[in-house]
Amino acid sequence: MSKILLGVDIGGTTIKLGMLDQEGKIIDKWEIETRKWELSDQIPGDIWSSIKRYLAKHSINPAQCLGIGIGAPGFIVAETGEVAEAVNLGWRNFPLGAILTELSNLPVYVDNDANIAALGENWLGSGQLAENLIAITLGTGVGGGIIANGKIISGVNGTAGEIGHMTVVQDGEPCNCGRKGCLETVTSATGIARIALERLPEFANSILTEVFSAKQKLTAKDVFDAYQKSDELATEVVEHVTNVLGLAIANMATIINPSKIVIGGGVSKAGNLLLSPLDKAYKAYALKRSYEGSTFEIAALGNDAGIIGGAFLVKQNQVLA
């Protein structure tokens, strides 16, 4: 009887679910709606009901499943499977792992969604099973995951690897975490667009001025498109953003000494337009030996990273059991 790994990635809009074999081949994957706030306590039941339907669809007995690996947003206490705080869902001290274990009668492993994505990328994506890896997601916010000696690092109460909330600007822009000047306020897609918009009045002849006049907004993609055309404003913004991010990564690399630094999220679609100035900044700030031992990679798994990472979390824990 072949064994099945179940991976779940809880997002603010949808929950991605997948069943995989032990080699990481996706047997099936699907999505369900995320019920938030006053309905968020229904999420564990929604997950298990959906999994049962798809197991039946494939004539798979739940007894064939090795467990469920879940990535959830916010601060996670991995040892207990408790979600200490997930602001976007309305969870505080929510016993996600315990509830789903009771419903499914299966082992359940829970970690932060960025950590789970890092595990997925390291297993079947750009990480190539690196023993020491830093994964950074540059999207609406900035997420991070750290793998050290082959294991994801969660910390004492779930805040390890939260690179997006490193303070990089004293008394800088307000962040969603309640503090100011976090990396997320500078290097997220939102931050990049904000910085460009703030500088726009100084660059009347910028391509971005034309873009803003036409759309009444700017995006990070607009900035990188203009950067590719050597636009002066876009060049200043990209060089500033990658300089700040390169410094942050160099400081992390001093502690982690990774062989791989994997960049994902919507901003990573800029490819070498992002990696080239980022590598230059990282090299300028990093210890020479740290720099020589590491390479940048663009994340390869896209939206599947979470379910693949969840499945790997099960696989990893079952091997250790």
Side-chain angles (χ1 to χ4, degrees), residues 51-73:
I51 288 173
K52 283 195 298 183
R53 286 196 300 273
Y54 275 79
L55 290 176
K57 171 187 170 183
H58 290 273
S59 301
I60 295 172
N61 189 313
Q64 291 176 244
C65 300
L66 290 174
I68 306 171
I70 304 179

Side-chain angles (χ1 to χ4, degrees), residues 196-243:
L197 198 55
E198 287 176 350
R199 300 289 309 278
L200 208 56
E202 304 170 39
F203 294 86
N205 296 322
S206 171
I207 295 170
L208 294 175
T209 300
E210 298 174 23
V211 173
F212 180 75
S213 295
K215 301 196 305 182
Q216 291 301 298
K217 68 174 185 178
L218 288 178
T219 66
K221 183 179 185 302
D222 293 331
V223 174
F224 278 100
D225 286 347
Y227 174 66
Q228 189 172 21
K229 297 174 183 177
S230 301
D231 180 81
E232 186 180 2
L233 170 56
T235 298
E236 286 196 13
V237 173
V238 170
E239 287 182 353
H240 170 64
V241 167
T242 53
N243 186 66

Side-chain angles (χ1 to χ4, degrees), residues 122 130-133 146-153 256 316:
N122 200 34
E131 283 290 299
N132 300 284
L133 172 144
I146 296 171
I147 294 173
N149 297 326
K151 297 294 294 293
I152 200 74
I153 302 299
I256 307 302
Q316 191 176 53

Side-chain angles (χ1 to χ4, degrees), residues 124-159:
L124 297 178
S126 298
Q128 299 177 328
L129 291 176
E131 283 290 299
N132 300 284
L133 172 144
I134 296 172
I136 301 168
T137 304
L138 304 174
T140 305
V142 174
I146 296 171
I147 294 173
N149 297 326
K151 297 294 294 293
I152 200 74
I153 302 299
S154 298
V156 68
N157 61 6
T159 66

Side-chain angles (χ1 to χ4, degrees), residues 8-115:
V8 179
D9 182 10
I10 301 175
T13 304
T14 64
I15 300 170
K16 299 176 180 65
L17 304 97
M19 57 178 70
L20 295 80
D21 66 20
Q22 293 185 78
E23 303 306 312
K25 179 183 177 183
I26 297 175
I27 299 166
D28 204 344
K29 62 179 181 176
W30 66 99
E31 296 182 8
I32 61 175
E33 181 185 357
T34 305
R35 296 204 275 179
K36 294 177 284 192
W37 304 111
E38 66 274 3
L39 297 176
S40 62
D41 62 338
Q42 303 298 310
I43 288 176
D46 292 345
I47 289 171
W48 180 237
S49 295
S50 182
I51 288 173
K52 283 195 298 183
R53 286 196 300 273
Y54 275 79
L55 290 176
K57 171 187 170 183
H58 290 273
S59 301
I60 295 172
N61 189 313
Q64 291 176 244
C65 300
L66 290 174
I68 306 171
I70 304 179
F75 300 126
I76 314 298
V77 183
E79 289 77 10
T80 64
E82 181 178 87
V83 180
E85 185 176 12
V87 175
N88 293 337
L89 299 181
W91 279 347
R92 183 179 289 273
N93 300 322
F94 186 73
L96 175 62
I99 295 172
L100 201 49
T101 295
E102 186 174 346
L103 288 171
S104 67
N105 200 32
L106 291 171
V108 177
Y109 308 97
V110 185
D111 213 318
N112 172 266
D113 53 355
N115 287 347

